[in-house]
Amino acid sequence: MKSMLLVSLVAAGLAVAGAANAAGEADLAQKSGCMTCHAADTKKIGPSFKDIAAKYKGKAGADAALVTALDTGKGHSKSKASSDDNKALVKWILSM
Ligand code: HEC
């Protein structure tokens, strides 16, 4: 009984942490100007984040290549965000 309670508390905690994280990245994408050209579900100037995630699903090394493109401005317009933030953004986009 006691362990059941513990399990549900941990699960609830993780759910809250997950939601807080996603909100943080959505905010970061907004602040970094990504949402001028992108949206989660719909194509704007750039493809939707869901389409990008589908395109790279299961491709090893895709995340690193995308971060490099955003960091350097080769293959994509250069991101205003720091390299660490670009990493977080790519991880978030590819998880959609
Ligand atoms: C000026 C408009 C513009 C802005 C701002 C922009 N993007 Fe893009 N993005 C595009 C276009 C257009 C494409 C599709 C063409 C391409 O692959 O470069 C794209 C493609 C992408 C891709 C897929 C690249 C690929 O090789 O398939 C990712 C990931 C991405 N954008 C992330 C971001 C992130 C993160 C930001 C914010 C830091 C951002 N974009 C800001 C226009 C933009």
Side-chain angles (χ1 to χ4, degrees):
M1 196 52 207
K2 210 173 175 185
S3 64
M4 270 302 290
L5 183 63
L6 192 62
V7 167
S8 37
L9 282 177
V10 169
L14 284 178
V16 169
N21 249 332
E25 271 120 31
D27 219 38
L28 184 62
Q30 192 76 49
K31 273 193 300 202
S32 309
C34 314
M35 307 322 273
T36 312
C37 300
H38 293 283
D41 304 290
T42 48
K43 185 175 163 25
K44 288 171 83 179
I45 295 168
S48 77
F49 287 156
K50 287 203 172 131
D51 283 349
I52 295 171
K55 178 174 165 192
Y56 290 105
K57 200 173 171 74
K59 291 199 179 130
D63 49 349
L66 293 173
V67 171
T68 304
L70 290 166
D71 282 354
T72 60
K74 285 187 191 133
H76 188 281
S77 54
K78 195 169 179 333
S79 163
K80 289 196 272 189
S82 71
S83 185
D84 278 349
D85 284 352
N86 288 335
K87 260 189 210 121
L89 286 167
V90 166
K91 195 169 164 221
W92 174 65
I93 293 165
L94 295 185
S95 74
M96 289 193 193

